[in-house]
């Protein structure tokens, strides 16, 4: 019996009709990021599991519930990357990229998390990310947010809201952690099972829980912002000042703690209400101790990730082919068919987008040419070959002219 085979739940095919908007998005990303001094890095899809468990945090949802982890044939624990920052930092340390005072990197590619599929959220999803390593100046915090603003402006995405917070440093978080644990200990019966299990090891995670009971129970929880040390407070004040200087509106959301343990100081999210419950288009923050955790020298860092599927859903859809052929060749007869192949290959070699009609009557091939969106059609038949001529048709004006076969390449190059 025939068994219907479909894609795995939570993953999807990105079809040719969707690809133009993805390609355009990536083009704008590269232009904006590289203008800001970022260089692209390609990171592996698989890493040793401890790249993520030691950096993201053992008690995070990603590590506990969402990672695709397996043993390879040598018995080593391997994980499909669930996020991009940890692999970038691993590469930064492994290849000693810290020889420069400031390293700016960006990446584009798929990530994998086992979570409930929903609108704009998949188990294989694409992410665009950028990381700036080597500088702890609050100006770069504002600068990286400004770069995101520029990107969204170039893409024509409106209705975005920036929310920021400070998570402090390891030193000032110690006192806050004790105070938060005491607060939570009096409300354990109101917390979900996950938060009951985590509140001693990682109490900040309870503030990130999406359970309605946990949100209600922690609505009046102590704020990290009230326990910042002087250095962290000065840093956060400076970030706010620079954002104001750049005319970037923001609100302070003390519940932004991000879902990863490595974040310190500045944390931010960019939201859009059109996305529903999962309304973050981009999010990130500072991670000043992560490079040391990977065995590198003390190195501050800040970065962000953008969910590509969510961003694409906000872009103006265009279902037309953004890469139509410039020239379509319609050939009638065996001699013309044989001549059309080297002709189209030569045109492509010269950088002209060209397509063949392959088979069918002249009428059917002309319909294909019209549907393809080609600017010009070259019509060749046995009669034209005998006269060493071809017909060039402007598909917009419908004007036709005879041209010499030997001149076709030069004429088309001049037109296209």
């Amino acid at each position: 019996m025939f068994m219907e085979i479909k894609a795995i739940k939570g993953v999807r095919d990105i079809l040719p009709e969707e690809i133009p908007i993805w390609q355009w998005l990536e083009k704008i990303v590269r232009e904006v990021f590289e203008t800001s001094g970022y260089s692209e890095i390609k990171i592996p899809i698989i890493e040793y599991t401890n790249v993520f468990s030691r950096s993201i945090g053992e008690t995070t949802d990603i590590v506990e519930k969402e990672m695709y982890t397996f043993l390879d044939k040598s018995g080593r624990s391997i994980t499909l990357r669930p996020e991009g920052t940890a692999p970038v930092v691993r590469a930064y340390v492994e290849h000693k990229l810290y020889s420069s005072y400031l390293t700016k990197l960006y990446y584009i590619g798929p990530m994998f998390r086992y979570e409930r599929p929903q609108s704009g959220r998949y188990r294989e999803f694409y992410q665009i990310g950028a990381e700036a390593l080597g500088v702890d100046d609050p100006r770069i915090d504002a600068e990286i947010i400004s770069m995101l603003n520029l990107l969204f402006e170039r893409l024509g995405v409106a209705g975005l809201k920036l929310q920021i917070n400070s998570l402090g440093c390891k030193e000032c978080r110690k006192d806050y952690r004790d105070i938060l644990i005491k607060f939570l200990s009096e409300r354990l019966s109101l917390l979900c099972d996950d938060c009951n299990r985590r509140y001693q090891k990682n109490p900040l995670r309870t503030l990130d829980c999406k359970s309605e009971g946990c949100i209600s129970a922690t609505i009046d929880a102590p704020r990290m912002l009230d326990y910042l040390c002087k250095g962290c407070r000065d840093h956060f004040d400076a970030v706010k000042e620079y954002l104001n200087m750049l005319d970037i509106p923001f609100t302070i959301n003390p519940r932004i703690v991000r879902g990863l343990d490595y974040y310190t100081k500045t944390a931010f999210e960019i939201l859009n209400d059109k996305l529903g419950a999962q309304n973050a288009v981009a999010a990130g923050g500072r991670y000043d101790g992560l490079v040391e955790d990977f065995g590198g020298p003390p190195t501050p860092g800040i970065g962000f990730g953008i969910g590509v599927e969510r961003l694409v859903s906000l872009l103006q859809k265009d279902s037309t082919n953004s890469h139509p052929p410039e020239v379509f060749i319609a050939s009638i007869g065996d001699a013309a068919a044989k001549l059309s192949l080297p002709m189209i290959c030569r045109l492509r070699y010269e950088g002209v987008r060209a397509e063949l009609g392959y088979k069918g009557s002249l009428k059917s091939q002309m319909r294909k040419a019209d549907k393809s969106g080609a600017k010009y059609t070259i019509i060749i038949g046995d009669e034209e070959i005998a006269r060493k001529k071809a017909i060039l048709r402007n598909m917009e004006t419908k004007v036709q002219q005879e041209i010499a076969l030997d001149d076709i390449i030069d004429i088309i190059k001049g037109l296209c």
Side-chain angles (χ1 to χ4, degrees):
M1 180 182 291
F2 174 76
M3 182 180 69
E4 186 179 14
I5 299 176
K6 295 184 177 181
I8 297 169
K9 183 178 181 181
V11 304
R12 72 184 190 105
D13 303 304
I14 302 170
L15 301 176
E17 64 195 37
E18 301 174 81
I19 289 298
I21 201 164
W22 284 65
Q23 291 176 330
W24 175 74
L25 167 60
E26 291 183 14
K27 175 178 177 290
I28 301 301
V29 165
R30 288 186 166 90
E31 288 175 359
V32 170
F33 287 8
E34 290 173 10
T35 299
S36 299
Y38 289 76
S39 300
E40 186 171 9
I41 184 171
K42 299 285 191 185
I43 46 177
I45 286 178
I46 58 173
E47 297 271 1
Y48 289 123
T49 301
N50 65 358
V51 167
F52 304 107
S53 59
R54 67 182 292 176
S55 58
I56 295 174
E58 295 282 1
T59 60
T60 60
D61 282 350
I62 294 176
V63 172
E64 287 187 332
K65 301 177 181 179
E66 299 172 2
M67 293 203 314
Y68 280 93
T69 297
F70 57 92
L71 297 179
D72 68 6
K73 292 185 177 180
S74 297
R76 295 168 296 195
S77 185
I78 304 295
T79 295
L80 296 176
R81 65 185 185 201
E83 60 96 35
T85 299
V88 168
V89 172
R90 189 268 311 149
Y92 176 83
V93 173
E94 182 175 342
H95 300 288
K96 296 181 172 58
L97 301 182
Y98 44 77
S99 56
S100 173
Y101 91 98
L102 175 61
T103 302
K104 294 179 173 180
L105 303 168
Y106 76 91
Y107 55 88
I108 303 172
M111 309 291 165
F112 304 85
R113 295 185 192 177
Y114 189 87
E115 53 187 342
R116 184 170 64 87
Q118 51 191 295
S119 177
R121 194 165 191 165
Y122 302 92
R123 290 174 177 173
E124 179 192 32
F125 60 97
Y126 286 78
Q127 192 173 85
I128 295 165
E131 318 290 347
L133 297 127
V135 172
D136 61 359
D137 192 312
R139 284 177 295 181
I140 205 163
D141 300 34
E143 179 189 321
I144 208 168
I145 292 172
S146 175
M147 184 175 75
L148 265 174
N149 259 25
L150 176 60
L151 173 64
F152 293 136
E153 182 180 309
R154 292 279 175 86
L155 293 172
V157 179
L160 298 174
K161 300 174 182 177
L162 170 64
Q163 296 185 348
I164 62 172
N165 190 25
S166 177
L167 302 179
C169 61
K170 290 181 179 179
E171 292 306 313
C172 58
R173 272 216 295 254
K174 288 178 183 177
D175 291 340
Y176 174 68
R177 183 179 181 277
D178 293 339
I179 291 167
L180 184 58
I181 286 175
K182 184 178 184 302
F183 171 86
L184 294 171
S185 66
E186 299 169 357
R187 292 163 174 78
L188 292 180
S189 62
L190 304 175
L191 302 179
C192 69
D193 291 341
D194 286 338
C195 288
N196 264 277
R197 181 165 42 86
R198 294 175 188 154
Y199 96 98
Q200 282 281 359
K201 290 184 177 179
N202 195 348
L204 265 73
R205 294 286 293 115
T206 61
L207 303 180
D208 193 45
C209 184
K210 302 302 185 285
S211 163
E212 290 186 10
C214 293
I215 293 173
S216 298
T218 59
I219 194 70
D220 56 346
R223 307 188 321 160
M224 180 71 237
L225 290 173
D226 297 327
Y227 295 89
L228 296 177
C229 65
K230 184 178 185 305
C232 290
R233 187 180 301 109
D234 289 347
H235 186 100
F236 191 53
D237 287 344
V239 171
K240 291 184 289 183
E241 181 182 358
Y242 289 128
L243 290 175
N244 286 326
M245 288 174 60
L246 295 171
D247 292 323
I248 299 176
F250 63 88
T251 57
I252 296 173
N253 180 356
R255 295 189 71 90
I256 293 179
V257 299
R258 307 296 303 127
L260 314 176
D261 282 0
Y262 52 63
Y263 282 113
T264 59
K265 294 183 180 176
T266 307
F268 62 88
E269 293 182 350
I270 296 180
L271 314 175
N272 186 286
D273 292 338
K274 293 180 181 178
L275 295 173
Q278 299 294 335
N279 62 348
V281 184
R286 183 164 281 285
Y287 45 87
D288 290 347
L290 190 55
V291 172
E292 285 180 87
D293 289 344
F294 277 90
T299 307
I302 185 171
F304 62 79
I306 304 171
V308 179
E309 286 84 355
R310 296 184 194 179
L311 182 54
V312 166
S313 73
L314 297 173
L315 300 178
Q316 181 66 42
K317 298 295 190 300
D318 182 357
S319 60
T320 61
N321 182 1
S322 68
H323 302 292
E326 295 167 295
V327 176
F328 192 97
I329 300 178
S331 58
I332 307 299
D334 292 341
K338 289 179 181 177
L339 178 64
S340 65
L341 180 61
M343 182 182 295
I344 199 168
C345 290
R346 175 68 189 281
L347 284 168
R348 289 169 177 167
Y349 181 83
E350 296 291 344
V352 177
R353 293 194 304 276
E355 190 56 79
L356 276 176
Y358 292 105
K359 63 180 180 179
S361 66
L362 177 59
K363 187 175 181 179
S364 70
Q365 289 188 63
M366 292 305 292
R367 281 199 299 265
K368 293 175 185 175
D370 192 52
K371 189 175 181 180
S372 75
K375 298 177 183 176
Y376 301 94
T377 297
I378 299 170
I379 304 169
I380 309 172
D382 291 345
E383 182 183 331
E384 282 78 24
I385 290 177
R387 295 187 293 110
K388 297 184 178 180
K389 298 286 185 177
I391 297 172
L392 177 64
R393 179 179 176 87
N394 184 310
M395 297 301 288
E396 183 179 353
T397 65
K398 312 304 181 187
V399 173
Q400 295 186 172
Q401 59 177 308
E402 276 197 343
I403 58 175
L405 285 175
D406 290 343
D407 296 336
I408 284 178
I409 302 300
D410 289 337
I411 289 173
I412 295 300
K413 282 173 60 182
L415 291 171
C416 299

